[in-house]
Amino acid sequence: MTAQTPTDRTGDAPVDHVGFGGGTMISAGYGAVAEDDARGALDAAFAAGVRFYDTAHFYGSGRSESLVGEMLHERRDRITLCTKGGVRYTDPSDMRTLVCDSSYDGLRAFMEESLTRLRTDHVDIYLLHQFDPALTPEQQMENLARLREDGLVKEVGFCNFGAEASRRALATGIPGVVEYSYSLLDQRYVTELSDAGRRGGRRITYGSYVHGLLSQDFEPDHDFGPDDWRGRSRTIGQSGTSGNIFFAGDAFAANVRIAKRLKVIADELGLSPAAFVLALTVREPHSDIALMGVRSAQELTDGLAGLSVPLSDDVLARVAEILADADRPTENRLGLPS
């Protein structure tokens, strides 16, 4: 294996393969975060050259979109803006109240609310956040196409579809973008990402840090806060599209051991775990834009620090050896009975 820098893959600047993930900068899901810190993270991302911003109607019941709109609306013509719709909580305090609506009227309402918060008249990419079981994949893609015809979005696509739904949706020729979880530990959606890539679609990937597992120095007995879904996963177990599978049961301790082995190499390179993991992730073959979830300017700057650091053949071989010992799930179970 030849030593690589991130630019070897496409000739673009490394930061061109990184996007700002807006799901972690809200005071929900990952514990409390100060909104001024979130604003600082967005400002630092733009200053560092990040031009792709991913958010969703669903994140904080719109709060993430509002922060993105507040910080970036004066820079709108210089960024690529992606948001998602089709799901909401009827009661944001109760995760059991999640409902889907990918009808045209439903998506139009989602979109209009998102545009107001984002302070723009269109978005560059609009994605269905997850599959709506009330409609066929073809119907959902046709409804997205109508939004595109309305001039509200340039490109459309989907996130988190099961294998068969993804195949049928892509076969319509309508979606130009897909978004799935993908990381050094998460290989569940490689088939769907590969299929989209073969069709010329853009592949956005989230969970680069495996929801903090690879970027934070956890101990196996770490006690997550009461407002952090990762703690609930320790007892509730696996479900849905999230990273529960990496935190539930014995998986958490095993993955912490993998993270600590990677951290040894990061320390030798003078990099934080976050910087090292992101530098590795942008080299992965199934991601065109790897999202990084950060909640402060410091986290943003730290995460980008490894992109310009060449990684030797020896380093890459050691990483491959560590990951060979990891239990990396490979089956897309979205849409299957639990």
Side-chain angles (χ1 to χ4, degrees):
M1 182 183 297
T2 303
Q4 295 180 317
T5 65
T7 56
D8 289 333
R9 189 167 60 135
T10 67
D12 297 333
V15 76
D16 291 341
H17 299 290
V18 174
F20 186 100
T24 59
M25 66 174 185
I26 52 174
S27 298
Y30 290 89
V33 56
E35 288 196 352
D36 282 347
D37 287 344
R39 293 183 180 96
L42 284 161
D43 208 36
F46 188 85
V50 175
R51 295 294 180 265
F52 191 99
Y53 294 84
D54 177 276
T55 182
H57 189 290
F58 178 71
Y59 297 157
S61 297
R63 189 56 190 150
S64 175
E65 288 181 326
S66 294
L67 288 168
V68 170
E70 174 190 339
M71 296 303 299
L72 298 175
H73 73 281
E74 293 184 354
R75 304 158 174 168
R76 179 67 185 89
D77 60 344
R78 300 172 62 188
I79 66 171
T80 297
L81 185 57
C82 172
T83 195
K84 302 179 281 291
V87 295
R88 73 165 81 235
Y89 289 127
T90 57
D91 177 0
S93 68
D94 187 347
M95 297 182 71
R96 296 170 297 181
T97 65
L98 181 71
V99 295
C100 297
D101 184 359
S102 292
S103 66
Y104 170 74
D105 289 341
L107 291 179
R108 179 77 192 225
F110 277 113
M111 171 67 90
E112 290 174 353
E113 292 174 11
S114 292
L115 293 177
T116 297
R117 288 191 288 260
L118 291 166
R119 306 189 191 187
T120 186
D121 61 358
H122 76 284
V123 292
D124 300 292
I125 299 170
Y126 193 73
L127 306 176
L128 296 184
H129 212 142
Q130 67 182 52
F131 184 73
D132 182 350
L135 299 171
T136 67
E138 293 81 6
Q139 289 171 326
Q140 292 177 68
M141 294 305 102
E142 289 165 3
N143 292 336
L144 283 176
R146 290 182 65 184
L147 290 182
R148 188 172 59 192
E149 292 165 3
D150 293 341
L152 301 180
V153 57
K154 293 181 179 179
E155 290 187 277
V156 296
F158 59 86
C159 310
N160 307 320
F161 274 29
E164 178 64 11
S166 175
R167 184 192 65 77
R168 288 172 57 180
L170 289 170
T172 67
I174 293 171
V177 184
V178 301
E179 182 172 322
Y180 279 99
S181 178
Y182 177 73
S183 68
L184 301 180
L185 293 183
D186 194 352
Q187 308 292 301
R188 291 174 289 174
Y189 311 111
V190 166
T191 297
E192 291 69 39
L193 291 165
S194 297
D195 191 9
R198 284 193 299 271
R199 295 172 183 270
R202 187 168 1 182
R203 299 160 302 176
I204 307 167
T205 59
Y206 65 88
S208 300
Y209 297 142
V210 196
H211 308 284
L213 256 174
L214 297 184
S215 59
Q216 297 173 255
D217 192 12
F218 291 126
E219 295 299 328
D221 60 351
H222 183 82
D223 183 16
F224 292 93
D227 57 349
D228 192 315
W229 67 264
R230 295 170 295 183
R232 293 191 294 274
S233 297
R234 303 287 293 114
T235 55
I236 294 173
Q238 305 171 10
S239 67
T241 66
S242 74
N244 297 48
I245 191 171
F246 300 102
F247 290 83
D250 295 334
F252 179 66
N255 288 324
V256 164
R257 289 192 292 271
I258 294 293
K260 288 185 176 298
R261 294 175 66 189
L262 291 172
K263 184 178 183 298
V264 170
I265 305 177
D267 288 344
E268 293 171 2
L269 296 172
L271 297 174
S272 70
F276 184 47
V277 166
L278 190 63
L280 291 167
T281 302
V282 298
R283 291 168 167 79
E284 291 290 298
H286 301 292
S287 176
D288 299 310
I289 298 288
L291 300 179
M292 61 183 304
V294 298
R295 301 187 297 171
S296 70
Q298 179 58 47
E299 287 184 1
L300 185 286
T301 302
D302 177 61
L304 296 178
L307 295 183
S308 60
V309 176
L311 302 182
S312 69
D313 293 344
D314 177 64
V315 164
L316 296 175
R318 290 169 65 191
V319 169
E321 181 180 2
I322 291 170
L323 294 178
D325 292 336
D327 180 13
R328 297 195 281 182
T330 58
E331 183 182 6
N332 179 351
R333 297 187 58 81
L334 297 175
L336 298 179
S338 58

